[in-house]
Amino acid sequence: METMYDLIIVGSGPAGMTAAVYASRANIKTVILEAGAPGGKMLKTMEIENWPGVTHGISPQIAYEMHKHSTAFGAEFKMGEVAQVIVNENDGKEIHLTNGEVLTAKAVIIATGTKERPLPLPNAEKLTGRGISYCAICDGAFFRNKHVAVIGGGNSAVEEAIHLAKTSAKVTLIHRREGFRADHILLERLEALENVEIMRNYVVDEVLEAENKVAGIVVKNVLTEELLTLADVEGVFVYVGVDPITAMVADLHITNEWGYLLVNSDMETSVPGIYGAGDVIDKKIRQVVTAVNDGAIAAESVKHQLS
Ligand code: NAP
């Protein structure tokens, strides 16, 4: 089966959903493809606190509202995982789904975002869901009144440590160096919490296990090489960075060395008619507010391309 659109948007996070609103309001025949749940990273956050004009913060409910909005002006929403994007001989864009289906369009916006990097330890995969987690919002409740560790020094690690501190008995944040990437305001908030300990210059050397579950961790001081066992840690929340989801365009050579899409100020890649928006593009600030900006620009550029 082959279906022809003006625009295919891959990914329904804030960038993709904003692009859908702008494109469909311009009468562009649009479909949004999503492999998981609409909302992207907004589903994994407690509150969006830096959306201008909303001082009290926005809840993850915004993901549902954006999803409704994204289809309100005629854009289609379709579940499907994209395997490959191909530019055919007529310059059309073929989107090949993992189920064998092929959709075609004149333009594509890649708004696939990023996925969490796993903890680089041998038993990390085996213990995922058995004490190791990548989502405090989803799994925090399993560790009520227990000791948990959070790994990383970025905004995600610090935000999620603050969230976990509300229900866990103790949170130990382990960061591999002295300075933090996380915003100062978040770090200050974390440091003020009584049940939080911050271990700077430490990495996790080993995740201990018993009965197929996490049963403590061994941490190593990177300056002294000293090892320390935190035997009562039952949950390990990993926030050691993210990687862009761009395997579907690997053959098009439109990414940088880390896999982020390279786009110009119109959000267009070096392949005409293929655009990028949101966390998946090469940029400095990855926030909801910058993602919606990218989505709007990308859709306006498609409008210009098709006119
Ligand atoms: P990130 O900012 O890249 O931070 C990853 C952290 O993990 C860094 O502190 C890094 O240490 C550490 N790390 C990397 N590899 C490690 C390893 N092998 N072992 C131990 N630690 C390791 O990632 P993120 O926090 O997931 O954030 C991703 C993006 O989303 C960022 O642009 C962030 O600003 C954004 N974000 C924003 C908000 C917000 O504004 N509220 C919330 C969440 C995420 P080094 O610092 O030493 O490299």
Side-chain angles (χ1 to χ4, degrees), residues 204-250:
V204 179
D205 193 63
E206 196 183 344
V207 179
L208 305 171
E209 52 179 290
E211 296 166 1
N212 275 326
K213 285 196 300 199
V214 170
I217 56 174
V218 179
V219 293
K220 182 169 82 178
N221 185 312
V222 294
L223 305 177
T224 63
E225 304 261 301
E226 170 211 12
L227 294 172
L228 199 66
T229 300
L230 308 180
D232 62 341
V233 165
E234 293 184 43
V236 179
F237 288 85
V238 183
Y239 297 99
V240 297
V242 293
D243 289 309
I245 302 170
T246 50
M248 78 276 292
V249 291

Side-chain angles (χ1 to χ4, degrees), residues 27 38 45 50 76 81 104 114 123 137 141 151 167-168 176 188 195 197 201 213 240 250 255 278 281-283:
N27 257 342
T45 191
N50 44 13
E76 241 178 81
E81 189 179 355
T104 56
T114 55
N123 58 352
I137 311 295
I151 324 294
T167 49
S168 302
R176 65 180 176 181
E188 260 187 2
N195 60 342
E197 183 185 0
N201 301 310
K213 285 196 300 199
V240 297
T255 61
I281 69 168
D282 177 35
K283 61 175 179 176

